[in-house]
Amino acid sequence: MNDFLPAALLEKVSPSHSQAIPYYREVGQECQLFEFAFQRGLPLLIKGPTGCGKTRFVAHMAARLERPLITVACHDDLSAADLVGRHLIGDGETIWSDGPLTRSVREGGICYLDEIVEARKDTTVVLHPLTDDRRVLPIERTGELLQAPSEFMLVASYNPGYQNLLKNLKPSTRQRFVAIEFSYPQAEIETDIIVQESGIDRACAQTLVAIAQAFRRLQHYHLEESASTRLLIYAAKLMLAGLTPRAACHFALAQPLSDEASTIAALLEVIHLHF
Ligand code: ADP
């Protein structure tokens, strides 16, 4: 993500609520893009590998914009009713219960659909009237037509690495979003993040990033997914807990990435070149 937006419009975070804002180290100008999309009522799609900061970014922006955040982890059983709501039976009466999407629309919050490609295509269709200029949510079962307030924003993420022919976003769904691609940050920024998130010293953080970069170069040959920023933070935390650097990297960087003995051995060799 290089410079792609005009001069910063984002308001500075006021000290009064900065305490509650989750730490997020900006990599490009993604905070501005989010702010523009929020101001203009545009839904945002964030693409990127696992553990690269998508969820943290959304949490950071929701806090910064002072909007409540509702996160839905999408899965292949997720139905439209899980998002919109359903009638529940209790004490002999039927009560309507809003789903997370409906609650978020009513509250004027940010609804974050994590791994949206996991959801069935007939489920994501429910998003269509909300993600074009109508910005409405029809609730068939109650006959309600909710108009989304200007503060409501829909954000979705997915990992293109998991994509296959079966799990692909319908073009009619994806073309309703402004989209941004995330990748693992450059070495200096990733080092800052590891230091900040784990408390480890900078030299160790730099070595962890060097290992991750070596793994990432191997990715296409041996690994489905490479070492994420999240795993590097885990390795740093294990080191701070008292594990040797080699052991920490074994459990946080090598084992989570593969089940193949030969691949794990190759990853350990890389680790041993650094620690
Ligand atoms: P994703 O949603 O992409 O799978 P997360 O947002 O959960 O990944 O990121 C994993 C962890 O990595 C976070 O909990 C946070 O500690 C750290 N992280 C990654 N990128 C950043 C960043 N740019 N700023 C701050 N923390 C980050």
Side-chain angles (χ1 to χ4, degrees):
M1 284 177 291
N2 295 317
D3 285 0
F4 55 83
L5 292 169
L9 285 190
L10 204 62
E11 280 172 33
K12 289 276 171 273
V13 176
S14 74
S16 60
H17 66 272
S18 61
Q19 292 305 59
I21 296 179
Y23 165 73
Y24 177 74
R25 173 74 155 81
E26 192 171 19
V27 174
Q29 288 181 293
E30 63 273 24
C31 295
Q32 271 184 63
L33 178 71
F34 193 109
E35 167 102 349
F36 287 144
F38 175 76
Q39 285 171 351
R40 299 289 159 184
L42 302 175
L44 180 67
L45 180 65
I46 307 170
K47 306 185 278 183
T50 187
C52 74
K54 302 183 294 295
T55 304
R56 176 63 66 87
F57 170 57
V58 178
H60 171 84
M61 290 309 298
R64 201 158 155 171
L65 294 164
E66 300 183 296
R67 301 316 313 149
L69 173 65
I70 294 185
T71 299
V72 181
C74 297
H75 52 83
D76 55 9
D77 250 359
L78 188 82
S79 66
D82 291 329
L83 286 178
V84 176
R86 52 168 52 88
H87 283 109
L88 301 176
I89 301 164
D91 284 344
E93 43 170 5
T94 313
I95 310 160
W96 172 257
S97 169
D98 280 344
L101 180 64
T102 309
R103 242 184 311 136
S104 192
V105 172
R106 284 198 211 278
E107 288 174 5
I110 293 174
C111 185
Y112 174 45
L113 304 178
D114 192 10
E115 279 304 330
I116 189 173
V117 277
E118 296 291 330
R120 292 196 315 255
K121 293 188 172 72
D122 56 324
T123 304
T124 46
V125 164
V126 78
L127 304 172
H128 287 189
L130 256 186
T131 47
D132 57 32
D133 55 358
R134 290 171 288 171
R135 284 178 57 87
V136 291
L137 178 63
I139 309 181
E140 267 175 39
R141 298 190 187 177
T142 62
E144 229 181 322
L145 183 68
L146 277 187
Q147 179 69 54
S150 58
E151 300 84 5
F152 168 77
M153 181 175 180
L154 188 72
V155 182
S157 71
Y158 79 98
N159 178 350
Y162 292 154
Q163 214 174 325
N164 60 38
L165 284 177
L166 293 173
K167 281 184 187 163
N168 203 343
L169 267 188
K170 251 167 112 76
S172 60
T173 303
R174 65 186 298 153
Q175 292 218 16
R176 289 160 187 273
F177 288 82
V178 169
I180 183 168
E181 186 174 17
F182 275 36
S183 57
Y184 300 119
Q186 326 152 335
E188 273 306 290
I189 295 179
E190 196 164 35
T191 305
D192 287 348
I193 295 168
I194 297 166
V195 169
Q196 174 71 30
E197 289 285 292
S198 68
I200 198 130
D201 63 81
R202 200 164 180 86
C204 279
Q206 276 167 336
T207 308
L208 287 170
V209 170
I211 293 171
Q213 293 199 327
F215 282 13
R216 287 170 194 162
R217 284 193 290 272
L218 294 175
Q219 182 177 358
H220 299 297
Y221 304 101
H222 302 287
L223 303 170
E224 227 174 283
E225 278 269 288
S226 196
S228 63
T229 309
R230 179 190 291 121
L231 287 181
L232 299 179
I233 294 167
Y234 287 177
K237 286 184 174 171
L238 289 179
M239 283 160 66
L240 284 171
L243 262 69
T244 63
R246 283 189 175 188
C249 291
H250 180 126
F251 296 119
L253 297 183
Q255 289 292 350
L257 292 183
S258 179
D259 298 322
E260 291 284 330
S262 58
T263 306
I264 293 175
L267 297 178
L268 290 176
E269 267 180 42
V270 174
I271 290 167
H272 294 178
L273 288 175
H274 291 82
F275 277 127

